[in-house]
Amino acid sequence: MSGVRSSAKVRTAFVFAGGGSLGAIQVGALRALVRAGARPDFVVGASVGALNACFYASAPTPEGVAALEAVWRSLRRRDIFPVTMRGAMGAFRSGGGLFEATSLRALIGRSLALERLEHMALPVCVVATNLHGASVVFSEGPAAEALLASAAIPIAFPPVRIGDQFLIDAAIAGNTPVIVAAEMGAERIIVLQTGYACALDRPPSGPVAPGFHALTLLIANQLARDVQLLDGKASIHVTPHLCPLDVSPFNFDQSGPLIERSAAATRAWIEAGGLERDTKAAALAHPH
């Protein structure tokens, strides 16, 4: 991809997984990583992780991370998933979704300083899925369109057309795109995971929240699989899973506590050598 610059040193990528409202966990991890002096050569993101990746790539500084944290602390569910009669009716039309993407587009427009991917301070790759189930990677072009495509969760949002392709959420092809990062030349991959709600005492309520929970379980399984596939081919370091975690990925009311817990857990992980010690797939399969 022309948007990814070369480097003579070991090439490092930050990879941002998807995970709905649990994307707040990445912000705490990012704060700890930046304060520890970690800086990637490029970033890769999927779904909500693509939004975090682009926001960080536009301003890869402590001040930029603080601005991203402020966005997350102010977020409410309606800012992403507005309930409107038009959106509900759209779910019954061909290609429709339960929610309109207008609120998400507005959030991107008012919060992201740079409009095009190739103008970011760090090279960024945004991953989506085409209707054949293959990953599509964007490193150039309008950021908003790529982000909306990457986050076009089936049923929740309608597909996004870019060029001659209709695109949906990156989770369908691989929501923690470590394989994409390796294909782009990363020799060292730092994964900012979102984890999953491992301590729920009952299924999330409502028509959408159970599907989001299932999606985060899919993400966790994909990550373990992909780390196994890359064993010996790249050095992989996965930031901590917050455990116990009882927050639904459809609940945006806990961003502040999630950020603080993640920052503390990631700081302790770094101090314990997490950035020097490869993460193994077996550890991801049994995070408790």
Side-chain angles (χ1 to χ4, degrees), residues 33 85 97:
L33 287 166
M85 182 60 69

Side-chain angles (χ1 to χ4, degrees), residues 72-231:
W72 270 97
R73 288 182 181 274
S74 68
L75 272 184
R76 295 297 178 264
R77 185 184 298 170
R78 63 179 177 272
D79 296 322
I80 308 294
F81 304 108
V83 178
T84 66
M85 182 60 69
R86 179 181 175 186
M89 293 300 293
F92 297 99
R93 299 194 302 266
S94 175
L98 283 170
F99 306 102
E100 295 183 79
T102 50
S103 291
L104 180 55
R105 182 184 291 275
L107 173 67
I108 294 168
R110 68 175 178 267
S111 303
L112 188 60
L114 301 171
E115 295 183 356
R116 295 187 64 85
L117 296 175
E118 67 268 27
H119 293 164
M120 301 294 174
L122 281 176
V124 58
C125 299
V126 174
V127 184
T129 305
N130 66 23
L131 295 185
H132 301 291
S135 291
V136 178
V137 182
F138 296 96
S139 59
E140 298 178 334
E145 297 307 311
L147 291 174
L148 289 171
S150 185
I153 303 164
I155 300 177
F157 292 121
V160 174
R161 183 170 185 172
I162 298 180
D164 60 354
Q165 297 193 87
F166 286 93
L167 302 166
I168 56 178
D169 191 276
I172 307 306
N175 206 45
T176 306
V178 292
I179 300 295
V180 171
E183 290 174 345
M184 302 302 298
E187 300 159 281
R188 181 170 180 254
I189 300 171
I190 299 173
V191 180
L192 290 84
Q193 68 167 328
T194 54
Y196 58 92
C198 58
L200 294 176
D201 57 5
R202 61 179 59 87
S205 60
V208 178
F212 271 68
H213 177 61
L215 188 63
T216 59
L217 296 178
L218 172 66
I219 294 165
N221 288 332
Q222 286 178 335
L223 176 57
R225 177 204 65 190
D226 291 348
V227 167
Q228 181 65 45
L229 288 173
L230 290 177
D231 187 32

